Amino acid sequence: MPAFCRSCLTRVPKQRRCPSCGSPRILDHPELFDLSIAHMDCDAFYASVEKRDNPELADKPVIIGGGRRGVVSTACYVARIRGVRSAMPMFQALKLCPDAVVIKPRMSVYVEVSRAIRAMMEDLTPAIQPLSLDEAFLDLTGTEKLHGAPPAIVLAGLVNRMHRELGVTGSIGLSHNKFLAKVASDLDKPRGFSVIGQAETMDFLADKPVGLIWGVGQASGAALETAGIRTFTDLRRWEHRDLVARFGSMGDRLYHLARGEDRRKVNAHEPIKSISHETTFFEDTADREILDGHIWRLAEKVSARAKARELAGRVVTLKLKRADHRALSRRVALRDATQLADRLYRTARGLLDQVSDEGPFRLIGCGLSELCPAAQADLSGDLLDPQAGQRAGAERAADKIRARFGTDAIVKGRALR
Amino acid sequence: MKISIERSALLKAVAQAQSVVERRNTIPILANVLIEAEGDSVTFRATDLDIEVVDRAPAMVERAGATTVAATTLHEIVRKLPDGALVTVTADPASGRLTVETGRTTFSLATLPKEDFPVMASSEYASNFSAPAPLLRRLFDKSKFAVSTEETRYYLNGVYMHVSDSEDGKVLRCVATDGHRLARIDADLPDGAVEMPGVIVPRKTVGELRKLLEDDEAQIAVSVSETKVRFATPAITLTSKVIDGTFPDYSRVIPQGNTRRLEVDATEFAQAVDRVATVSSERSRAVKLQLDEDRLTLSVNAPDSGAAEEELAVAYADERLEIGFNAKYLLEIASQVDRENAVFMFNSSGDPTLMREGNDLSAVYVVMPMRV
């Protein structure tokens, strides 16, 4: 069976310790040298960087997160043992782990480390699809001759190099498509290397919960549960057309993923699908006027990004998080796509008016999706809103002033609320 | 309960009931139709809590009684029964089953108790009048295409039926708009309707109402209150809540000062729009209208897929104008014209355009242009 030592990267026969360096980190798998789609995920990335820069923290629980109101963005493995998880509210995390060292994120440092990792990956393949600062898909198909080693060994070399040169560790998932590679990278963290081969795919997935599928969250999970689908085996019992009839376009994805099939390419330049912004308030609020001011500022930010990329969107989303962290979101499809802050604001404001929940809220967000080129947007006016054209003209004029004199050169009174 | 009923009469009644029932709902009884047999007729009642339809059909009632059964299942069964069959429907309180029998075929269906069936509260109607079916049919048929589906402006999700002043005195008027186009249709005010409060009739109700209006000779009893509207024929009663909202002041939307007049054969125009729009696959296909003296050039330019152009001989005497519209909207308003030429009144390429049939002001359409 193909096997190699993850410490010294030599190919070895299957055994307990490496004959050349004595390391026990031998990896073997029947398809080990045939697979080439990988997912690399750093282990507790922000926390690892902090521990690297401050060795005193090495064996202390470290939580990276923002401010009094914030949530945990990363917890180191020591803190995780105590039950702290990413996205957990800070107060809850501190209840579980009162002696944790809480560190405010130093994004510029993380970005720098992330760039360095990216550069290391670029030495291996041009087909890299970063998902965030600390994880990426890599397609190493056809690189064996170039590197003189199969992808598995090259990838083990990558994480070793990250550890040696940058002081951060990562886990690798290696398989025959993106879905399974991502699943695999999570199987034995930290410093893991997991392989899912073609032959074992069906058996591997069989008893796994469908929550493993990216995009199956609470709501769709509940919808699947209602249909009696909990595991991949349950899912496989469904005909393709029945899944599509019941779940729409997601049904098609489910059908294929149930069989471990995922044809998505590792795409270096994934087009953006949505533009959104959100704000967590300094203090919870139920005041609609204050929320209104936030919606305007968020609409301006989203609009500015859409304009910069010459994009517009057909669907406007409003997101609110209640003081008890329950999230609610409302969305509406426009007849005619927009990139204007004015239309975005009015639409999101209309959505807020339909929210019967009185709050208080801790967070508000605003987004634009189903994007299209700006040339296809804001083509027709509204009979019932004859001033819309004038407001659009004013917004375009204000944009020109800002482009010339800076973003604060002209603001709406509404933005000061 | 035990009744015998002719298959076609049963099918007609059940069909109307099952179309009101919501396909997806969380309250099981709402999927059912309430069947009540008494005297020499049987009634079928269905509701989605906003609309209630009651359909009466003649039947031989052997034993009076009532029960409820799944509307769609019953409809499917009756639909598949042979034409001309005499159907026996029996409710057995002991087993809680409803038996549907004809010839050698027997169905046994689960029922839910009739007491659980929600019956819409009766209310006082401020206005009761009678209107010929063709009058109502015209009002709603010509306006419903403009009803909005946008949920944030829920008050546009229906046809605004009200009494209004026109040049020829008071009229019964239906208006619908989605912000992109608007339809304003007038009809002679039926006797006794003058006190009617204005109501927004929901889109689904308009769809259900249409089925009552097929018969040219029928007189429809209309009852209107601030919260409800009722349309009835001797056999069917349709009651619906109205949309709780204020319909916007549409009069300021209808352009008064448009002076550039284009007259064109509506069918030719619609066909031409349809032809040139074929080259574009975008969601909102824009058609450009270029107007020169007695000549209209329609064109579509879709950079990704192609371009098309067509010329029409028209009556136009004003200065040159270029204006763009959503092809679908143009097609929809052009297809409302059935007797005379379509007359468009333009102002500029950015202003709303008015369309009517000849010089008839009883049906007026407004459409918003789009940038091309």
Side-chain angles (χ1 to χ4, degrees):
Chain A
M1 181 173 323
F4 73 97
C5 165
R6 286 169 60 197
S7 297
C8 67
L9 307 182
T10 42
R11 297 193 199 207
V12 295
K14 186 183 173 180
Q15 50 189 267
R16 293 194 53 190
R17 278 187 181 273
C18 172
S20 50
C21 74
S23 162
R25 303 179 70 209
I26 305 289
L27 183 66
D28 66 84
H29 188 279
E31 297 174 38
L32 186 60
F33 297 149
D34 306 326
L35 301 167
S36 56
I37 309 287
H39 179 250
M40 193 288 296
D41 191 7
C42 293
D43 305 321
F45 182 56
Y46 299 175
S48 307
V49 174
E50 294 300 340
K51 291 195 178 191
R52 175 196 74 173
D53 292 351
N54 184 359
E56 277 179 29
L57 297 174
D59 49 4
K60 297 205 173 77
V62 171
I63 296 175
I64 315 295
R68 186 165 64 94
R69 313 245 0 167
V71 293
V72 174
S73 70
T74 310
C76 77
Y77 282 87
V78 184
R80 286 189 200 187
I81 292 168
R82 313 271 282 273
V84 180
R85 295 283 174 267
S86 301
M88 180 182 274
M90 193 61 84
F91 73 89
Q92 202 179 333
L94 289 174
K95 214 181 275 175
L96 290 165
C97 190
D99 56 334
V101 181
V102 179
I103 300 175
K104 269 204 172 165
R106 294 184 298 154
M107 290 313 293
S108 57
V109 180
Y110 311 147
V111 169
E112 205 178 294
V113 180
S114 175
R115 283 213 187 103
I117 297 174
R118 176 78 190 260
M120 290 178 186
M121 294 192 290
E122 271 164 4
D123 288 346
L124 307 179
T125 172
I128 303 165
Q129 184 183 347
L131 296 178
S132 65
L133 285 181
D134 62 343
E135 58 176 316
F137 285 114
L138 296 102
D139 183 350
L140 290 155
T141 310
T143 62
E144 185 164 354
K145 280 233 167 72
L146 178 69
H147 298 305
I153 297 185
V154 171
L155 289 161
L158 168 71
V159 281
N160 287 356
R161 186 177 167 199
M162 279 163 52
H163 192 204
R164 205 167 53 234
E165 296 179 20
L166 301 169
V168 295
T169 63
S171 298
I172 298 283
L174 180 63
S175 189
H176 51 94
N177 63 42
K178 282 165 69 172
F179 165 57
L180 292 166
K182 184 146 166 65
V183 168
S185 73
D186 213 29
L187 289 178
D188 110 87
K189 272 179 144 305
R191 297 186 75 196
F193 197 128
S194 300
V195 181
I196 302 174
Q198 288 276 12
E200 69 197 296
T201 298
M202 291 292 265
D203 287 341
F204 170 82
L205 289 174
D207 301 328
K208 297 283 184 295
V210 284
L212 215 54
I213 295 172
W214 196 86
V216 173
Q218 239 170 21
S220 40
L224 287 164
E225 177 111 25
T226 312
I229 301 170
R230 286 196 189 84
T231 66
F232 280 75
T233 308
D234 297 337
L235 199 49
R236 276 179 215 151
R237 278 196 276 268
W238 285 61
E239 297 282 338
H240 183 262
R241 65 189 152 90
D242 295 338
L243 279 175
V244 172
R246 180 138 181 169
F247 301 105
S249 63
M250 189 176 89
D252 176 65
R253 262 185 66 214
L254 290 172
Y255 179 83
H256 292 289
L257 292 179
R259 287 151 185 80
E261 298 164 6
D262 178 8
R263 291 168 173 276
R264 291 173 303 162
K265 285 207 166 66
V266 174
N267 193 341
H269 303 284
E270 183 103 313
I272 58 166
K273 293 210 172 93
S274 67
I275 302 171
S276 65
H277 269 281
E278 56 186 51
T279 317
T280 305
F281 310 135
F282 192 66
E283 250 170 72
D284 294 345
T285 183
D287 186 332
R288 298 268 156 156
E289 288 300 301
I290 291 176
L291 294 174
D292 182 80
H294 280 289
I295 293 179
W296 171 253
R297 286 187 291 274
L298 291 168
E300 274 197 309
K301 280 186 188 163
V302 171
S303 159
R305 271 174 61 199
K307 285 168 185 161
R309 290 164 190 256
E310 293 186 359
L311 288 172
R314 286 202 177 84
V315 171
V316 176
T317 310
L318 176 79
K319 175 179 165 189
L320 287 162
K321 202 177 253 180
R322 288 168 41 88
D324 61 9
H325 290 270
R326 228 175 47 228
L328 52 111
S329 78
R330 298 281 181 275
R331 51 183 270 145
V332 65
L334 300 170
R335 192 69 72 97
D336 176 27
T338 191
Q339 59 163 199
L340 293 171
D342 181 65
R343 282 187 68 197
L344 199 53
Y345 159 74
R346 277 164 199 273
T347 312
R349 174 69 221 226
L351 290 172
L352 176 67
D353 290 339
Q354 289 192 330
V355 171
S356 54
D357 195 320
E358 287 180 358
F361 301 103
R362 69 191 317 270
L363 172 148
I364 191 164
C366 180
L368 201 54
S369 51
E370 286 199 24
L371 303 179
C372 66
Q376 294 171 21
D378 300 304
L379 295 174
S380 67
D382 186 341
L383 280 171
L384 301 171
D385 186 4
Q387 265 83 54
Q390 288 169 22
R391 289 196 309 271
E395 186 175 325
R396 299 279 183 207
D399 286 342
K400 282 190 190 136
I401 293 170
R402 288 199 191 110
R404 197 156 160 202
F405 300 107
T407 44
D408 295 332
I410 181 166
V411 294
K412 280 222 187 214
R414 203 186 281 141
L416 303 173
R417 259 182 213 163
Chain B
M1 182 185 81
K2 185 169 183 185
I3 57 166
S4 297
I5 182 168
E6 214 273 315
R7 181 250 183 195
S8 63
L10 180 59
L11 180 62
K12 199 161 163 257
V14 174
Q16 180 97 33
Q18 69 93 30
S19 80
V20 169
V21 164
E22 276 298 339
R23 290 283 170 282
R24 292 174 194 176
N25 68 64
T26 48
I27 312 171
I29 191 96
L30 292 184
N32 281 15
V33 54
L34 172 62
I35 309 171
E36 292 172 296
E38 212 184 334
D40 56 3
S41 71
V42 56
T43 65
F44 296 85
R45 187 186 294 262
T47 181
D48 66 358
L49 295 180
D50 289 324
I51 304 177
E52 182 191 69
V53 63
V54 184
D55 220 315
R56 271 168 296 274
M60 283 177 286
V61 179
E62 211 167 294
R63 201 161 62 237
T67 189
T68 83
V69 67
T72 38
T73 317
L74 182 62
H75 176 241
E76 281 296 290
I77 288 173
V78 178
R79 206 170 54 82
K80 289 172 185 169
L81 292 178
D83 204 13
L86 189 69
V87 187
T88 308
V89 181
T90 320
D92 177 12
S95 67
R97 297 271 158 173
L98 183 81
T99 316
V100 180
E101 282 177 278
T102 179
R104 296 185 198 171
T105 321
T106 307
F107 299 89
S108 174
L109 304 175
T111 63
L112 286 170
K114 63 173 195 291
E115 292 75 19
D116 294 351
F117 195 87
V119 175
M120 200 178 260
S122 59
S123 54
E124 293 282 310
Y125 291 99
S127 171
N128 295 287
F129 59 91
S130 168
L135 179 146
L136 292 175
R137 196 165 67 204
R138 175 174 167 277
L139 282 175
F140 286 99
D141 275 3
K142 283 184 176 292
S143 57
K144 68 182 173 196
F145 74 92
V147 170
S148 169
T149 51
E150 204 184 310
E151 282 173 21
T152 39
R153 295 199 279 189
Y154 59 92
Y155 47 83
L156 300 181
N157 297 165
V159 171
Y160 181 43
M161 179 174 79
H162 60 297
V163 178
S164 181
D165 291 309
S166 80
E167 282 155 20
D168 310 322
K170 291 211 179 294
V171 288
L172 182 61
R173 176 173 282 181
C174 278
V175 179
T177 181
D178 64 356
H180 298 270
R181 55 262 167 83
L182 175 142
R184 188 195 75 188
I185 318 297
D186 293 347
D188 295 338
L189 191 66
D191 287 339
V194 71
E195 295 296 317
M196 182 190 92
V199 286
I200 307 170
V201 183
R203 186 182 36 246
K204 185 174 171 186
T205 309
V206 173
E208 293 302 323
L209 168 63
R210 190 60 183 77
K211 296 170 192 159
L212 276 65
L213 305 177
E214 292 295 350
D215 179 4
D216 280 350
E217 303 304 316
Q219 283 288 322
I220 311 295
V222 185
S223 306
V224 186
S225 77
E226 297 279 351
T227 55
K228 271 183 205 154
V229 59
R230 168 173 285 181
F231 300 91
T233 66
I236 306 174
T237 304
L238 174 71
T239 312
S240 168
K241 291 183 187 164
V242 298
I243 293 174
D244 183 13
T246 309
F247 201 81
D249 176 14
Y250 61 85
S251 61
R252 61 191 176 89
V253 170
I254 297 170
Q256 304 296 332
N258 288 8
T259 51
R260 297 164 150 186
R261 185 178 195 275
L262 160 74
E263 186 166 341
V264 58
D265 181 288
T267 317
E268 264 181 37
F269 176 77
Q271 286 172 348
V273 170
D274 196 19
R275 267 193 293 270
V276 293
T278 318
V279 293
S280 167
S281 55
E282 279 167 36
R283 195 186 299 214
S284 50
R285 306 185 205 197
V287 176
K288 186 165 89 180
L289 276 57
Q290 185 190 312
L291 286 154
D292 296 293
E293 193 177 341
D294 289 347
R295 192 180 64 195
L296 166 64
T297 313
L298 296 144
S299 61
V300 169
N301 192 355
D304 296 338
S305 50
E309 196 177 289
E310 178 159 346
E311 247 182 59
L312 285 177
V314 297
Y316 181 75
D318 216 298
E319 59 191 83
R320 184 182 184 151
L321 175 71
E322 281 188 10
I323 187 166
F325 292 100
N326 182 321
K328 181 167 161 271
Y329 299 164
L330 276 187
L331 278 176
E332 277 175 349
I333 64 166
S335 66
Q336 302 304 322
V337 174
D338 40 27
R339 296 186 316 265
E340 290 183 64
N341 283 342
V343 172
F344 287 87
M345 302 296 290
F346 300 98
N347 187 26
S348 79
S349 63
D351 293 315
T353 294
L354 187 139
M355 201 279 295
R356 61 175 192 249
E357 197 166 346
N359 287 324
D360 180 7
L361 288 172
S362 74
V364 171
Y365 306 90
V366 183
V367 59
M368 197 70 191
M370 71 190 279
R371 227 164 1 100
V372 282

